[in-house]
Amino acid sequence: MKPRTRRGLAIAAGLATLGVAVMLVLKAFQSNLVFFFSPSQIAANEAPRDRAFRIGGLVEEGSIKRDGQSLTVQFVVTDMAQRVPVTYTGMLPDLFKEGKGVVAQGKLGPDGVFRAEQVLAKHDENYMPPEAAEALEKARHGQMPKGMTAKAEP
């Protein structure tokens, strides 16, 4: 085999190996990618039905219902324009309260209930995930549902 042919085969094998490695990295990245959606985006059917994603907003006042026999809790996440019922089984963060910011990760069921696998509460009075703050701000500038009022955060 001529040196030129050998060099060409080595370059082709190197490019093929590099292509396979890039493909595997992109596939791993895509499977671990979790998107954020607001309750308004979920109501507009923009959220996926077959993959996990994050929902963020405020825990609606008076919506927390705890099961006395287990660690299951039901609550409603709102962006002041739309509401999404959430169910979660497990220990909630200490800062989880009505009227406070929350981000939950899980899947949306066919019944429209978001089944959370993880719940994160806002960790101090000034912090809210940027996506959740933006979604709440957009909802506040829109039309409020009947009987709901927007409360300003301090």
Side-chain angles (χ1 to χ4, degrees), residues 76-154:
V76 174
V77 175
T78 182
D79 60 2
M80 301 301 184
Q82 296 293 329
R83 314 166 68 236
V84 175
V86 177
T87 184
Y88 174 70
T89 301
M91 297 294 292
L92 289 168
D94 290 338
L95 297 175
F96 180 84
K97 293 183 176 121
E98 293 175 345
K100 298 293 181 183
V102 67
V103 174
Q105 182 173 326
K107 289 184 178 181
L108 190 64
D111 56 355
V113 176
F114 187 82
R115 286 168 179 75
E117 298 165 1
Q118 182 180 27
V119 174
L120 307 169
K122 134 176 157 172
H123 70 274
D124 71 18
E125 289 301 314
N126 300 318
Y127 176 78
M128 179 173 289
E131 298 91 350
E134 183 181 329
L136 285 172
E137 194 60 35
K138 283 181 183 176
R140 284 185 181 143
H141 285 87
Q143 197 70 277
M144 294 290 162
K146 195 173 188 177
M148 290 189 76
T149 59
K151 288 201 273 184
E153 288 284 327

Side-chain angles (χ1 to χ4, degrees), residues 20-131:
V20 168
V22 167
M23 183 184 71
L24 291 173
V25 167
L26 290 176
K27 184 174 173 118
F29 180 71
Q30 184 179 10
S31 68
N32 291 326
L33 194 60
V34 179
F35 291 102
F36 175 89
F37 293 92
S38 70
S40 292
Q41 290 173 311
I42 292 171
N45 290 321
E46 295 176 20
R49 294 275 178 178
D50 57 342
R51 312 184 46 170
F53 62 92
R54 288 184 177 168
I55 180 175
L58 298 176
V59 178
E60 189 174 82
E61 296 284 340
S63 69
I64 298 176
K65 294 178 181 76
R66 298 178 191 273
D67 182 358
Q69 305 298 322
S70 68
L71 293 176
T72 301
V73 67
Q74 297 173 350
F75 57 95
V76 174
V77 175
T78 182
D79 60 2
M80 301 301 184
Q82 296 293 329
R83 314 166 68 236
V84 175
V86 177
T87 184
Y88 174 70
T89 301
M91 297 294 292
L92 289 168
D94 290 338
L95 297 175
F96 180 84
K97 293 183 176 121
E98 293 175 345
K100 298 293 181 183
V102 67
V103 174
Q105 182 173 326
K107 289 184 178 181
L108 190 64
D111 56 355
V113 176
F114 187 82
R115 286 168 179 75
E117 298 165 1
Q118 182 180 27
V119 174
L120 307 169
K122 134 176 157 172
H123 70 274
D124 71 18
E125 289 301 314
N126 300 318
Y127 176 78
M128 179 173 289
E131 298 91 350

